[in-house]
Amino acid sequence: MRTLLLAFALTVATPALAQANPQIDYPAFQALTASVAPARATRLIAFDAFKAEAAKPGTLLLDARSKDAFARGHIKGAVNLPLTDFTAESLAAVIGANAGRPILIYCNNNFSNHRSPVPLKSAALALNIQTFINLVGYGYPNVRELADVVDFTDPKVEWVTG
């Protein structure tokens, strides 16, 4: 009898669980991810080129790590907007009106130190991946990503705290 009641309860609950949340579109995310992949492959840049681009007027160096991690250390000149805070409005406030503005990104996995504030993340879940997809998905096509792994104690990185 218990088994029959459990089976009935699951059958009744399944349609409610299967209803799609209109504010979550996984198939669209999959399509976006697939469409971004070829562009991302051409947008990875070496450290020296990354630093040269960051020095150009109008380029935004965006750190999408948490506010806490950013405060504990980041590349000089970076602006923080945590990925969890990305919305059309918050991105426009940080990036500005020019959707084609050059944007440079980096994440924990660009550093060899593997300690706070840049502990190594699972390679498949590196923040650069989600940040790149989100920026392009929100309409910012001119994103470049640091390709190299560097030591944040190297003076060329210009690591700062605060």
Side-chain angles (χ1 to χ4, degrees):
M1 180 68 164
R2 275 183 114 179
T3 305
L4 185 59
L5 286 173
L6 179 59
F8 177 73
L10 289 174
T11 303
V12 171
T14 301
L17 294 175
Q19 292 177 0
N21 179 335
Q23 299 183 112
I24 300 173
D25 190 344
Y26 190 71
F29 174 77
Q30 289 176 305
L32 174 62
T33 300
S35 72
V36 165
R40 183 177 171 269
T42 67
R43 297 301 188 134
L44 300 170
I45 60 173
F47 177 74
D48 290 337
F50 184 88
K51 289 294 287 184
E53 288 295 316
K56 291 182 179 177
T59 299
L60 175 65
L61 179 54
L62 181 65
D63 185 322
R65 296 175 306 133
S66 71
K67 288 184 189 300
D68 181 57
F70 182 82
R72 287 184 280 135
H74 58 273
I75 297 174
K76 182 180 177 181
V79 173
N80 182 233
L81 180 62
L83 178 67
T84 55
D85 293 339
F86 278 23
T87 64
E89 295 79 15
S90 66
L91 287 165
V94 169
I95 296 169
N98 178 7
R101 180 181 187 186
I103 302 169
L104 301 175
I105 62 172
Y106 65 92
C107 77
N108 290 6
N109 287 30
N110 288 118
F111 300 98
S112 59
N113 308 85
H114 308 310
R115 66 177 190 267
S116 180
V118 290
L120 186 65
K121 305 265 185 182
S122 170
L125 301 173
L127 186 60
N128 278 351
I129 297 168
Q130 296 117 2
T131 302
F132 195 98
I133 292 166
N134 272 260
L135 287 168
V136 173
Y138 275 108
Y140 300 97
N142 199 5
V143 181
R144 290 205 167 79
E145 176 184 331
L146 178 57
D148 294 337
V149 176
V150 297
D151 181 335
F152 69 68
T153 65
D154 182 334
K156 292 187 296 185
V157 173
E158 297 184 275
W159 193 255
V160 296
T161 58

